[in-house]
Amino acid sequence: MNQIKFILLVLACYFPLVSSAQTDYNLWLQYDKIEDSDLKQSYLKSVKGIKVLGNSKTLEASREELSKAYNSFFNQELETADSGDGLLILANIDQLPANLSNSVKPDLENINSEGYIIKSATQDGNKTILITAKTDIGVLYGTFRLIKEMQLHNDISNLAIIDSPKIQKRVLNHWDNLDRTVERGYAGFSIWDWHLLPDLIKPEYTDYARANASIGINGTVLTNVNANSLILTEQYIEKVKALAEVFRPYGIQVYLTARFSAPMESGDVDTADPLNAQVKQWWKDKADEIYAEIPDFGGFLVKANSEGQPGPNNYDRTHVDGANMLAEAVAPHDGIVMWRAFVYSEHDPEDRAKQAYSEFVPFDGQFKKNVLVQVKNGAIDFQPREPFHPIFGAMPNTPLMMEFQITQEYLGFASHLVFLPKLFEETLDEDTYVNGENSTVAKVIDGSLSNKKLTGIAGVANIGTAKNWTGHPFGQSSWYGFGRLAWDPYLDSERIAEEWLKMTFTNEEEFVDPMTDLLIKSREAVVKYMTPLGLHHIMNTNHHYGPGPWVSNLSRPEWNPVYYHKADEEGIGFDRTISGSDALAQYADPIAQQYSSPETTPEKYLLWFHHLPWDYQMDNGETLWHNLATTYQEGVEDVEEMVETWNNMEEYVDEERFKKVSMLLQIQLKEAKWWRNACLSYFQQFSDMELPESVPQPEHDLEYYKSLEFPFAPGIRPSWE
Amino acid sequence: MNQIKFILLVLACYFPLVSSAQTDYNLWLQYDKIEDSDLKQSYLKSVKGIKVLGNSKTLEASREELSKAYNSFFNQELETADSGDGLLILANIDQLPANLSNSVKPDLENINSEGYIIKSATQDGNKTILITAKTDIGVLYGTFRLIKEMQLHNDISNLAIIDSPKIQKRVLNHWDNLDRTVERGYAGFSIWDWHLLPDLIKPEYTDYARANASIGINGTVLTNVNANSLILTEQYIEKVKALAEVFRPYGIQVYLTARFSAPMESGDVDTADPLNAQVKQWWKDKADEIYAEIPDFGGFLVKANSEGQPGPNNYDRTHVDGANMLAEAVAPHDGIVMWRAFVYSEHDPEDRAKQAYSEFVPFDGQFKKNVLVQVKNGAIDFQPREPFHPIFGAMPNTPLMMEFQITQEYLGFASHLVFLPKLFEETLDEDTYVNGENSTVAKVIDGSLSNKKLTGIAGVANIGTAKNWTGHPFGQSSWYGFGRLAWDPYLDSERIAEEWLKMTFTNEEEFVDPMTDLLIKSREAVVKYMTPLGLHHIMNTNHHYGPGPWVSNLSRPEWNPVYYHKADEEGIGFDRTISGSDALAQYADPIAQQYSSPETTPEKYLLWFHHLPWDYQMDNGETLWHNLATTYQEGVEDVEEMVETWNNMEEYVDEERFKKVSMLLQIQLKEAKWWRNACLSYFQQFSDMELPESVPQPEHDLEYYKSLEFPFAPGIRPSWE
């Protein structure tokens, strides 16, 4: 061995130290060193230098991101260049010289203001790559896309990528309180350090913006829907402004939640009646005050007359009155109002699943054009599985915004591995049939079904101060996947899983293939071990941690699990057909008809729509009780399989994440068994039937499961609730 | 240039990437690469291989720490070896072969069970380094010491280090609640993730233990002194056990806070009377239950009959009755009780500064021998400056434990740079005179003054889930310095500052010298801009954030700042001489006499002991009002100087920490001015005198400062308060 070879060997030994700097703080932006030398050579040939035309913080962020990635991929600097082979050009279309802008003119018609074009071209015999767009933000998105192509080890020698987001408002909702606790947050404290804002700008704020921009998220609601009106005071607006300035170069608008009674709490007005002139003026002044500080402020998200929150009903006014009053205040500034449809009343004996529809559908067409009605994916509340919300498709003249929950309030907190894009995809793909076949929820949301001008999608964030942002290392995949589906609601969740795994861990097939499979199956697993066959809302009280099918002592009937499963000696399930609550009538006809009989209802929704006897015969010829029990057991077995799969992944994952996920999977397995045991013990009282042989006997008796208490489970509501 | 040189150059270019992995998560255990090649060669010559004799998790931890450090210093593996030149031998004395154990026999007499010996020796012509001790923990401490010698770039070619801790119980107190909020915590959530314990063992737990072991901290109280009795239930003991198992190899015992009313809250007994047989039995059973799970459990810390906490007085029993009852429960297991002396009553019209002494001193000699009475450094409550607590020296027959506060409840939270070891040192160095001159507080604490068998020192932790543990990057220095002074209360804080700076940032003199100076001066700065000349307890209500000298509306008189400064037209200050509360009489005579007259009272304590007219003539010939104002102004100018010094440090510090500290110093400067302006505006009403020319006029009027509200300032007490 000559000396050079020896030193190269030494060099090779040192590098693992560098690349082991991979930490889950970096999310899917790990930018792992490209080890394959052919691939590396081909990338280095394609990108030798960078030229940025134009001048803005957004273009600067694009250049910095590329430099960071390049450095990390290749251990070498990306140099600025003016011409030559391998030039990467970044510019929005207005900055391009004529020859270049002409070359992309036809493509331009196929992108919107946030879309981008990435194109390989040959100029004077030199190969170049051009990233261009109608706006600098488009260029930033294109930049992240080019980086991603390299993260995925795709060929970049001949690029022709054209892409645009299909939904306009792609927004995270943070249920973060001003005291830094996070309602339904399982990843530590709120990342917003209000006390030290605006003076301390943490690097996390920029990294949050980078991560969101990389997947196209363009808005963030900073505060809890259970709102505190202090956020609207001068003291806090100054803090919000500081965050907005960090986010602006990344194309992210900030929004706030508006507590409907804020005018009263400010001490300025003694009512919050939306038709009162002083109240209207108060909100207009407030909007002007905010926009003076934050010219690109996004607008307000409002939870009104829901679960104790104040709202227009307090003054015998309607949701339309309330939303339109706020909409008028922000309209001069191009702001929007996201008005939540999550309402149900303790005074209304009607099936809770029907109430939001009953309340909102009659208002169709009455909202101002800058109002989006924000509707949860299902009619109850972010359960492991719900049929799509019947409002989707039922308000053709109202922009409807989808609200998904990324934080796992009802899906095992941050300790269960559940890949939520699979759930999101299921809802988006469901067919409302309102304009005939293929009237999917996705088409409602992206506006294509009814030619909507304003479109939006929201995800309740699972982000906190945890060193890896989401607590569970795999919680990151749901944040990532939400962003991807917000950009394009027709994406396949399997593709999302695959790309996230590659970007976050490794491109090794032996890792990616089995883990993609694991991610995709993980959602069905949680449905099986928590709420199989259409069961829902049978969790424990307040913290929503663990099973509580026996709970029947809460003041509001529709807060009790017994309200939802209605188990008794006769059977189990909620009859939502015409013989029951008739919630089914809120769906368009092909569904309403198909689901009216248990025989033609998909088994996954069986007990959502039907109350059936324990010995009801299922498709496989077994009784309902038998299938209920075996499905719970299958859920447990699915988690056992996840454990096994993960154990084979040790060589592909850094030690810290490997161990953490191993421990978390053991928690998930323990809790899957707990759900199975507790729920089957409870339901068995009524079925009075033996467990199938394949299902183990519960370790404890029912009284034990009922006795468990968790007063300090995380994410509990603020005490006003 | 030949090829080898070229490649070496390339190699050199890569290395910055490695060493930039320095992050403040690693605290003072950065283990920066040794760049100086002479030094590196000398170290590599001294340590070529390692041999560990014996087998324990503690020895394993020692070996791992050395490997980690070696790898990081030299980019090379520390190999196991059996003999030869440059062998590093780790073993406790029982494992050493006779020739080696004989060589350290005389030194052994000079160390206690936690001490260590590090010795260079020549064996068969080979140079070796021996780290030995009476216990494996001693070996671990010696290991951290050897590593530190290298971090400090000291010569290790001829070592003869013998060191032992001077205080037995060196304990952190975490005021962490079970919901993960931290009372007076400014660094995020509690690091104890109770919900996921015992199943999820986070790497942070190990790193916490490493950091503490590296400075000799050997105990941690996991829970808030404002205690919740749930921590004593089976469900939580299992969680505590999991932490104890992580900490055990690092020599750290866990302790819990015992809520005095726990027997009642358990539902087992209907009283908590410490003389009741059932209550006694309950605590014995509880201790047995805990020790069955955690054999090295440390014992209990108790806040009783203080600020609303239950205690023996509820049953007309004394603190002795309460403490001894608990002491009996843990005595069979070698546990201890740390009983806090922080008591003051709303029903006692006596000067609050006198009450703890009045209550506890009569009990001297009556506590069981496994009880430590834990006394705050001063008689009020962790103010920027207090005279030492008069209990120190006044209870010669009772083991007294020092309680310092590392978290900056009254010193600017985690946004002010204040190097607290300077404060701790001041208290430890103060002379109580109880056994004549040189009866320092340090001698009370280490037991040497009255030949105490049991000694201890506690620090209220400033640790949370912040990525750098303490929020302010310099908050780490106070944690570090507390540990160092707990090990040796006679250490010089300047030396502590210097070593911390070197280990945490860089050994460059141009950094270390000015920054040591900055750290040392930082404590006096905060005294000047918050509470100069002996003022105290003039902060705002509840959160204790910012100035509130005007506060007079709180239900308990001694919670109001006006109670402490007593400013009026006649003057300012608390007369604690014989003409006032006579608190001074609680001190031994040389002090009592000297401080009885303002002329002979050190100016730093002037207004602590005297109420003086505004025109009182100070040593410099100026009026009290003049000096009060100029001292506030000096505090502001000190911070301006800190800003300037820091600005010169940019080249020595990574960008992230540099920027963060810069921003925090701006907050500190803003708040220093706020304190000056608010306090002088308030006091000027009474002095009716002009501000000296050197002191700028406040930017706002007094009403403005009084109007400021911070309902969500961090670290507020749990709501039961």
Side-chain angles (χ1 to χ4, degrees):
Chain A
M1 193 191 301
N2 69 24
Q3 280 177 297
I4 293 176
K5 276 193 186 154
F6 173 74
I7 289 171
L8 285 173
L9 190 73
V10 172
L11 201 68
C13 295
Y14 285 134
F15 275 126
L17 283 171
V18 180
S19 71
S20 79
Q22 190 182 61
T23 70
D24 44 1
Y25 175 80
N26 295 329
L27 297 160
W28 47 88
L29 305 176
Q30 298 285 340
Y31 302 156
D32 282 343
K33 182 162 172 277
I34 310 279
E35 305 278 356
D36 181 310
S37 66
D38 288 348
L39 191 66
K40 181 176 169 181
Q41 286 321 309
S42 110
Y43 285 171
L44 286 174
K45 202 176 146 200
S46 296
V47 184
K48 291 179 183 163
I50 183 173
K51 180 177 185 173
V52 180
L53 300 170
N55 201 343
S56 72
K57 286 190 175 174
T58 300
L59 290 172
E60 205 36 62
S62 306
R63 179 205 293 271
E64 270 175 29
E65 196 67 34
L66 265 167
S67 296
K68 189 193 294 272
Y70 200 87
N71 211 310
S72 188
F73 288 146
F74 311 121
N75 262 304
Q76 88 188 45
E77 293 294 324
L78 176 58
E79 305 287 352
T80 300
D82 201 54
S83 59
D85 198 52
L87 188 64
L88 172 62
I89 301 167
L90 266 61
N92 89 44
I93 194 75
D94 303 332
Q95 301 289 333
L96 280 184
N99 62 332
L100 283 175
S101 67
N102 286 337
S103 74
V104 293
K105 208 160 252 172
D107 302 323
L108 272 183
E109 284 166 31
N110 295 315
I111 63 169
N112 58 33
S113 66
E114 294 178 299
Y116 57 82
I117 299 161
I118 308 179
K119 240 182 167 167
S120 300
T122 306
Q123 258 200 312
D124 311 329
N126 292 324
K127 285 209 75 171
T128 60
I129 297 174
L130 171 65
I131 303 180
T132 193
K134 291 179 179 168
T135 60
D136 288 354
I137 292 299
V139 174
L140 178 68
Y141 288 155
T143 301
F144 275 111
R145 175 61 182 271
L146 177 65
I147 295 172
K148 177 168 151 181
E149 292 298 309
M150 292 190 269
Q151 288 180 282
L152 298 177
H153 293 186
N154 290 340
D155 181 20
I156 63 163
S157 61
N158 196 11
L159 293 166
I161 301 174
I162 299 173
D163 202 4
S164 282
K166 295 193 166 58
I167 297 173
Q168 292 168 335
K169 307 291 180 183
R170 306 177 297 279
V171 179
L172 287 181
N173 289 2
H174 288 267
W175 288 357
D176 292 18
N177 301 311
L178 299 186
D179 66 1
R180 292 192 74 187
T181 58
V182 181
E183 183 171 333
R184 311 313 176 187
Y186 312 105
F189 246 18
S190 167
I191 52 172
W192 319 129
D193 192 346
W194 293 116
H195 178 66
L196 295 178
L197 279 167
D199 300 304
L200 182 71
I201 303 299
K202 295 184 168 178
E204 290 92 313
Y205 301 149
T206 306
D207 290 325
Y208 168 87
R210 287 176 53 229
N212 281 322
S214 78
I215 49 177
I217 286 172
N218 67 1
T220 179
V221 184
L222 302 174
T223 46
N224 192 355
V225 287
N226 292 316
N228 188 309
S229 62
L230 274 181
I231 192 67
L232 301 176
T233 60
E234 188 187 347
Q235 185 184 13
Y236 277 91
I237 291 170
E238 193 192 11
K239 297 168 190 281
V240 173
K241 177 186 182 179
L243 289 175
E245 283 169 4
V246 176
F247 299 160
R248 189 169 297 123
Y250 293 92
I252 296 165
Q253 289 182 285
V254 300
Y255 299 79
L256 294 174
T257 46
R259 185 163 163 88
F260 202 77
S261 51
M264 294 165 74
E265 284 147 22
S266 73
D268 299 331
V269 195
D270 59 6
T271 172
D273 181 346
L275 300 191
N276 177 288
Q278 277 182 293
V279 171
K280 287 180 175 190
Q281 192 59 46
W282 190 93
W283 282 108
K284 277 186 182 157
D285 293 346
K286 185 52 69 181
D288 293 348
E289 182 190 348
I290 296 173
Y291 279 95
E293 299 297 322
I294 311 165
D296 60 345
F297 179 69
F300 295 121
L301 169 63
V302 189
K303 176 177 182 176
N305 293 122
S306 169
E307 300 182 324
Q309 290 293 307
N313 298 355
N314 301 29
Y315 308 93
D316 288 326
R317 312 299 183 189
T318 68
H319 286 282
V320 171
D321 297 329
N324 286 352
M325 181 268 295
L326 287 172
E328 269 178 50
V330 295
H333 310 282
D334 291 327
I336 62 167
V337 170
M338 298 167 288
W339 191 270
R340 291 175 96 227
F342 180 64
V343 298
Y344 58 100
S345 166
E346 74 248 61
H347 309 299
D348 188 346
E350 188 67 277
D351 176 5
R352 171 172 163 188
K354 291 177 69 175
Q355 295 187 31
Y357 179 103
S358 306
E359 175 100 25
F360 274 84
V361 170
F363 296 135
D364 186 32
Q366 297 181 40
F367 291 97
K368 299 259 172 198
K369 67 177 196 292
N370 60 332
V371 175
L372 279 151
V373 172
Q374 183 167 313
V375 184
K376 292 188 182 187
N377 60 293
I380 298 298
D381 194 9
F382 299 136
Q383 296 301 294
R385 168 166 281 136
E386 300 192 30
F388 73 87
H389 202 301
I391 287 183
F392 294 117
M395 296 181 73
N397 301 306
T398 306
L400 295 183
M401 191 159 178
M402 170 65 76
E403 180 176 314
F404 284 127
Q405 193 181 44
I406 311 172
T407 189
Q408 293 172 224
E409 176 178 358
Y410 299 100
L411 290 98
F413 294 6
S415 25
H416 291 210
L417 192 168
V418 184
F419 180 66
L420 292 177
K422 181 72 181 161
L423 183 163
F424 305 156
E425 179 189 42
E426 180 176 282
T427 299
L428 292 166
D429 285 355
E430 285 205 284
D431 201 333
T432 69
Y433 291 100
V434 289
N435 291 358
E437 216 170 320
N438 204 12
S439 303
T440 62
V441 173
K443 287 187 178 176
V444 175
I445 297 307
D446 78 359
S448 60
L449 195 67
S450 320
N451 197 22
K452 298 271 173 61
K453 295 275 177 289
L454 181 61
T455 57
I457 183 167
V460 181
N462 61 347
I463 298 166
T465 52
K467 289 181 179 61
N468 66 2
W469 300 90
T470 55
H472 198 304
F474 280 76
Q476 299 177 357
S477 67
S478 295
W479 175 10
Y480 178 84
F482 166 75
R484 297 288 290 127
L485 287 164
W487 180 277
D488 182 351
Y490 303 96
L491 281 180
D492 177 20
S493 65
E494 195 159 331
R495 182 179 146 197
I496 295 171
E498 201 178 296
E499 61 187 32
W500 178 80
L501 286 164
K502 288 180 176 175
M503 293 159 81
T504 306
F505 289 98
T506 171
N507 284 270
E508 297 278 353
E509 229 172 79
E510 295 79 0
F511 175 82
V512 176
D513 291 354
M515 285 304 298
T516 302
D517 194 49
L518 182 152
L519 260 58
I520 292 301
K521 288 181 176 162
S522 65
R523 187 283 178 113
E524 201 62 36
V526 73
V527 172
K528 290 185 206 167
Y529 65 71
M530 285 188 180
T531 54
L533 303 179
L535 286 175
H536 50 286
H537 204 291
I538 58 172
M539 68 291 162
N540 217 327
T541 304
N542 190 2
H543 47 58
H544 301 167
Y545 176 60
W550 46 80
V551 174
S552 61
N553 63 345
L554 301 178
S555 58
R556 293 176 61 162
E558 78 286 5
W559 282 355
N560 290 295
V562 297
Y563 172 95
Y564 296 95
H565 62 65
K566 302 199 187 299
D568 58 19
E569 282 72 13
E570 306 299 310
I572 182 171
F574 199 128
D575 183 0
R576 292 195 166 105
T577 68
I578 194 159
S579 61
S581 79
D582 204 19
L584 192 49
Q586 295 181 337
Y587 289 95
D589 211 22
I591 296 175
Q593 198 173 342
Q594 190 197 334
Y595 293 12
S596 66
S597 153
E599 281 71 30
T600 51
T601 301
E603 283 194 352
K604 64 181 178 180
Y605 297 141
L606 194 63
L607 303 178
W608 187 282
F609 289 109
H610 302 281
H611 188 79
L612 297 170
W614 296 104
D615 61 358
Y616 172 81
Q617 191 183 318
M618 305 286 284
D619 284 351
N620 64 353
E622 300 286 356
T623 64
L624 171 59
W625 167 250
H626 180 279
N627 277 17
L628 186 72
T630 55
T631 310
Y632 269 111
Q633 174 60 13
E634 273 175 35
V636 171
E637 287 166 10
D638 286 352
V639 181
E640 282 166 346
E641 200 181 308
M642 288 162 74
V643 169
E644 204 175 313
T645 303
W646 183 251
N647 283 341
N648 293 329
M649 297 301 128
E650 185 160 8
E651 63 182 296
Y652 305 106
V653 182
D654 53 288
E655 192 187 352
E656 186 171 323
R657 281 191 291 188
F658 180 76
K659 280 191 180 166
K660 183 173 276 183
V661 173
S662 296
M663 290 186 274
L664 289 169
L665 282 169
Q666 288 303 328
I667 293 175
Q668 187 171 0
L669 181 56
K670 189 166 86 171
E671 296 187 355
K673 290 177 180 171
W674 170 32
W675 271 90
R676 176 198 64 196
N677 293 342
C679 292
L680 291 179
S681 297
Y682 174 77
F683 293 131
Q684 196 173 27
Q685 301 177 100
F686 305 111
S687 80
D688 202 23
M689 292 160 84
E690 290 295 316
L691 286 175
E693 265 184 40
S694 62
V695 181
Q697 291 299 322
E699 294 155 64
H700 302 277
D701 64 12
L702 180 59
E703 289 314 304
Y704 168 83
Y705 296 112
K706 287 164 90 166
S707 75
L708 298 176
E709 285 185 57
F710 306 92
F712 294 107
I716 292 175
R717 283 247 169 112
S719 53
W720 57 259
E721 241 285 307
Chain B
M1 194 190 301
N2 68 23
Q3 281 177 295
I4 295 176
K5 274 194 187 151
F6 173 75
I7 290 171
L8 285 173
L9 189 73
V10 172
L11 201 68
C13 295
Y14 286 132
F15 275 126
L17 283 173
V18 180
S19 71
S20 79
Q22 190 183 62
T23 71
D24 45 1
Y25 175 81
N26 294 329
L27 296 161
W28 48 88
L29 304 176
Q30 298 286 341
Y31 302 156
D32 282 343
K33 182 160 172 279
I34 310 277
E35 305 278 357
D36 180 311
S37 67
D38 288 348
L39 190 66
K40 181 175 169 182
Q41 286 320 311
S42 109
Y43 285 169
L44 287 174
K45 203 177 145 203
S46 295
V47 183
K48 291 179 182 163
I50 184 173
K51 180 177 186 173
V52 180
L53 300 170
N55 203 342
S56 72
K57 286 190 176 175
T58 300
L59 290 171
E60 207 34 63
S62 307
R63 179 206 293 272
E64 270 176 30
E65 196 68 33
L66 265 166
S67 296
K68 188 192 294 271
Y70 199 87
N71 210 309
S72 188
F73 287 146
F74 311 121
N75 262 305
Q76 88 187 46
E77 293 295 324
L78 176 58
E79 306 285 353
T80 300
D82 202 53
S83 59
D85 198 54
L87 188 64
L88 171 62
I89 302 168
L90 267 59
N92 89 44
I93 195 76
D94 302 333
Q95 301 287 335
L96 280 184
N99 61 334
L100 282 176
S101 68
N102 287 336
S103 75
V104 294
K105 209 160 253 172
D107 301 325
L108 273 183
E109 284 165 32
N110 295 315
I111 62 169
N112 58 33
S113 67
E114 294 178 299
Y116 56 81
I117 298 160
I118 308 179
K119 240 182 167 168
S120 301
T122 306
Q123 257 199 312
D124 310 330
N126 291 325
K127 286 210 74 171
T128 60
I129 296 174
L130 172 63
I131 302 180
T132 192
K134 292 179 178 168
T135 60
D136 288 354
I137 293 299
V139 174
L140 178 68
Y141 288 156
T143 301
F144 275 111
R145 175 61 181 272
L146 177 65
I147 294 172
K148 177 168 150 179
E149 292 298 309
M150 292 190 269
Q151 289 180 282
L152 298 177
H153 293 185
N154 291 339
D155 181 20
I156 63 163
S157 62
N158 196 11
L159 294 165
I161 300 174
I162 299 173
D163 202 5
S164 281
K166 295 192 166 60
I167 297 174
Q168 291 168 336
K169 307 290 180 183
R170 306 176 297 279
V171 180
L172 287 181
N173 288 3
H174 289 266
W175 287 358
D176 292 18
N177 302 311
L178 299 185
D179 66 0
R180 292 192 75 187
T181 58
V182 181
E183 183 172 332
R184 311 313 177 186
Y186 312 105
F189 246 18
S190 167
I191 52 173
W192 319 129
D193 192 346
W194 293 116
H195 178 66
L196 294 178
L197 280 167
D199 300 303
L200 182 72
I201 303 298
K202 296 185 168 178
E204 290 92 311
Y205 301 149
T206 306
D207 290 326
Y208 168 87
R210 288 175 53 229
N212 281 322
S214 78
I215 48 176
I217 287 172
N218 67 2
T220 179
V221 185
L222 302 173
T223 45
N224 192 354
V225 287
N226 292 316
N228 188 308
S229 62
L230 274 181
I231 192 67
L232 301 176
T233 60
E234 188 186 348
Q235 185 183 13
Y236 277 91
I237 291 170
E238 194 191 9
K239 297 168 190 280
V240 173
K241 177 186 182 178
L243 289 175
E245 283 169 2
V246 176
F247 300 160
R248 188 170 297 124
Y250 294 92
I252 296 164
Q253 289 181 284
V254 300
Y255 298 80
L256 294 175
T257 45
R259 185 164 163 88
F260 203 78
S261 51
M264 294 165 73
E265 284 147 22
S266 74
D268 298 331
V269 195
D270 60 5
T271 171
D273 180 347
L275 300 191
N276 176 289
Q278 277 182 292
V279 171
K280 286 181 176 188
Q281 192 59 45
W282 190 92
W283 281 108
K284 277 185 182 155
D285 293 346
K286 186 50 70 181
D288 293 348
E289 182 191 347
I290 295 172
Y291 279 96
E293 299 297 322
I294 311 166
D296 60 346
F297 180 68
F300 295 121
L301 169 63
V302 189
K303 175 177 182 175
N305 294 121
S306 168
E307 301 183 323
Q309 289 293 307
N313 298 354
N314 300 30
Y315 308 93
D316 288 326
R317 312 299 183 190
T318 68
H319 286 282
V320 171
D321 296 330
N324 286 353
M325 182 269 294
L326 287 172
E328 268 178 48
V330 296
H333 311 282
D334 293 327
I336 62 167
V337 170
M338 299 166 288
W339 191 271
R340 291 174 97 229
F342 180 64
V343 298
Y344 58 100
S345 166
E346 73 247 60
H347 307 300
D348 189 346
E350 188 67 277
D351 176 5
R352 172 173 162 187
K354 290 177 70 176
Q355 296 185 30
Y357 179 103
S358 306
E359 176 100 25
F360 274 83
V361 169
F363 296 135
D364 186 33
Q366 297 180 40
F367 291 98
K368 298 259 174 201
K369 66 178 196 291
N370 60 333
V371 175
L372 280 151
V373 173
Q374 183 167 313
V375 184
K376 291 188 182 186
N377 60 292
I380 297 298
D381 194 9
F382 298 137
Q383 296 302 295
R385 169 166 280 135
E386 299 192 31
F388 73 89
H389 202 301
I391 288 183
F392 293 118
M395 296 181 74
N397 301 306
T398 306
L400 296 183
M401 191 158 176
M402 170 65 76
E403 181 175 314
F404 285 128
Q405 191 179 45
I406 311 172
T407 189
Q408 294 172 223
E409 176 178 358
Y410 300 101
L411 290 98
F413 294 7
S415 24
H416 291 211
L417 193 167
V418 184
F419 180 66
L420 292 177
K422 181 72 181 162
L423 183 164
F424 305 156
E425 179 189 42
E426 179 176 282
T427 300
L428 291 165
D429 285 355
E430 285 204 284
D431 201 333
T432 69
Y433 290 100
V434 289
N435 291 0
E437 216 170 321
N438 204 13
S439 302
T440 61
V441 173
K443 287 187 176 175
V444 175
I445 297 308
D446 78 0
S448 59
L449 195 67
S450 320
N451 198 20
K452 298 272 172 60
K453 294 275 177 291
L454 182 59
T455 58
I457 184 167
V460 180
N462 61 346
I463 298 166
T465 52
K467 288 180 179 63
N468 66 3
W469 300 90
T470 56
H472 198 304
F474 280 77
Q476 299 178 357
S477 68
S478 295
W479 175 10
Y480 178 84
F482 166 75
R484 297 288 291 126
L485 287 165
W487 181 278
D488 182 351
Y490 302 96
L491 281 180
D492 176 20
S493 65
E494 194 160 331
R495 183 180 146 197
I496 296 171
E498 201 178 297
E499 62 187 31
W500 178 79
L501 286 164
K502 288 180 176 175
M503 294 159 81
T504 307
F505 289 97
T506 171
N507 283 269
E508 298 277 353
E509 228 172 81
E510 295 79 1
F511 175 82
V512 176
D513 291 353
M515 286 304 297
T516 302
D517 194 51
L518 182 152
L519 259 58
I520 293 301
K521 288 182 178 162
S522 66
R523 188 285 178 111
E524 201 61 36
V526 74
V527 172
K528 289 185 207 166
Y529 66 70
M530 284 187 180
T531 53
L533 303 179
L535 285 175
H536 51 287
H537 205 290
I538 57 172
M539 68 290 162
N540 217 326
T541 303
N542 191 2
H543 47 58
H544 300 168
Y545 175 61
W550 47 79
V551 174
S552 61
N553 62 345
L554 302 176
S555 59
R556 291 177 61 163
E558 78 287 5
W559 282 354
N560 289 296
V562 296
Y563 172 95
Y564 296 96
H565 62 65
K566 301 199 187 299
D568 57 19
E569 282 72 13
E570 306 299 312
I572 182 171
F574 199 129
D575 183 358
R576 291 195 167 104
T577 67
I578 195 160
S579 61
S581 79
D582 205 19
L584 192 50
Q586 295 179 338
Y587 289 95
D589 212 22
I591 296 175
Q593 200 174 343
Q594 190 197 333
Y595 293 11
S596 66
S597 152
E599 280 71 31
T600 51
T601 301
E603 283 194 352
K604 64 181 177 180
Y605 296 140
L606 194 62
L607 303 178
W608 187 281
F609 289 109
H610 303 281
H611 187 79
L612 297 171
W614 295 103
D615 61 358
Y616 172 81
Q617 190 183 321
M618 304 287 282
D619 284 351
N620 64 353
E622 300 285 355
T623 64
L624 171 58
W625 166 252
H626 180 279
N627 277 17
L628 186 73
T630 55
T631 310
Y632 269 112
Q633 173 61 13
E634 273 174 35
V636 171
E637 287 165 10
D638 286 351
V639 181
E640 282 166 347
E641 199 180 308
M642 288 162 74
V643 169
E644 202 176 316
T645 302
W646 184 251
N647 283 342
N648 293 329
M649 296 301 127
E650 185 160 8
E651 64 183 294
Y652 305 106
V653 182
D654 53 287
E655 192 188 349
E656 186 171 324
R657 282 191 291 187
F658 180 76
K659 281 190 181 167
K660 184 174 274 183
V661 173
S662 296
M663 290 186 274
L664 289 169
L665 282 169
Q666 288 302 327
I667 293 175
Q668 187 170 0
L669 181 56
K670 189 167 86 172
E671 297 187 355
K673 289 177 181 171
W674 171 31
W675 271 90
R676 177 198 63 195
N677 294 343
C679 292
L680 291 179
S681 297
Y682 174 77
F683 292 132
Q684 196 173 27
Q685 301 177 101
F686 306 111
S687 79
D688 203 23
M689 292 161 83
E690 289 296 316
L691 287 175
E693 265 184 39
S694 62
V695 182
Q697 291 299 322
E699 293 155 65
H700 302 276
D701 64 12
L702 180 59
E703 289 314 305
Y704 168 83
Y705 296 111
K706 288 164 90 166
S707 75
L708 297 176
E709 284 185 57
F710 306 92
F712 294 106
I716 292 174
R717 283 247 169 112
S719 54
W720 56 258
E721 241 286 307

